[in-house]
Amino acid sequence: MTFDATVNPICYEGGIPVFIDTERDTWNMDPVALEKAFELYPEVKLIVVAHLYGTPGKIDEIKAIADAHGALIVEDAAESFGATYKGV
């Protein structure tokens, strides 16, 4: 679940977005699916996380995966304005 504006900058810079499945309960990026995607696309170096419907994604788990694969994270929180994650 995302909006095309989330991935447009990737395309504008010549990148090819790889979409990741969502969790059933939050509709946010599924960390398990993200890890599986790195098995198929180990060259990926950027993860764009869209936090949806006021519910932040599991950024700690996603960050651990990103760190293990040397990838950066960009967070799109336009759909979760005012949300908190672990008290922040």
Side-chain angles (χ1 to χ4, degrees), residues 2-21:
T2 193
F3 182 64
D4 64 347
T6 302
V7 297
N8 280 346
I10 295 165
C11 297
Y12 294 156
E13 293 299 319
I16 300 170
V18 175
F19 293 92
I20 306 301
D21 234 346

Side-chain angles (χ1 to χ4, degrees), residues 18-52:
V18 175
F19 293 92
I20 306 301
D21 234 346
T22 60
E23 298 177 305
R24 288 187 174 269
D25 58 340
T26 68
W27 289 10
N28 284 308
M29 181 182 288
D30 184 346
V32 173
L34 176 62
E35 187 63 59
K36 287 180 184 177
F38 271 106
E39 293 173 14
L40 297 171
Y41 305 98
E43 69 279 2
V44 169
K45 295 299 175 195
L46 179 68
I47 301 167
V48 179
V49 180
H51 304 291
L52 295 175

Side-chain angles (χ1 to χ4, degrees), residues 1-2 15 19 21-22 24 33-34 36 40-41 45 54 56 58 63 65 67 69 71 73-74 79 81-84 88:
M1 297 291 297
T2 193
F19 293 92
D21 234 346
T22 60
R24 288 187 174 269
L34 176 62
K36 287 180 184 177
L40 297 171
Y41 305 98
K45 295 299 175 195
K58 295 179 178 168
K63 183 169 178 359
I65 295 166
D67 290 346
H69 295 279
I73 298 173
V74 172
E79 292 286 330
F81 186 71
T84 60
V88 178

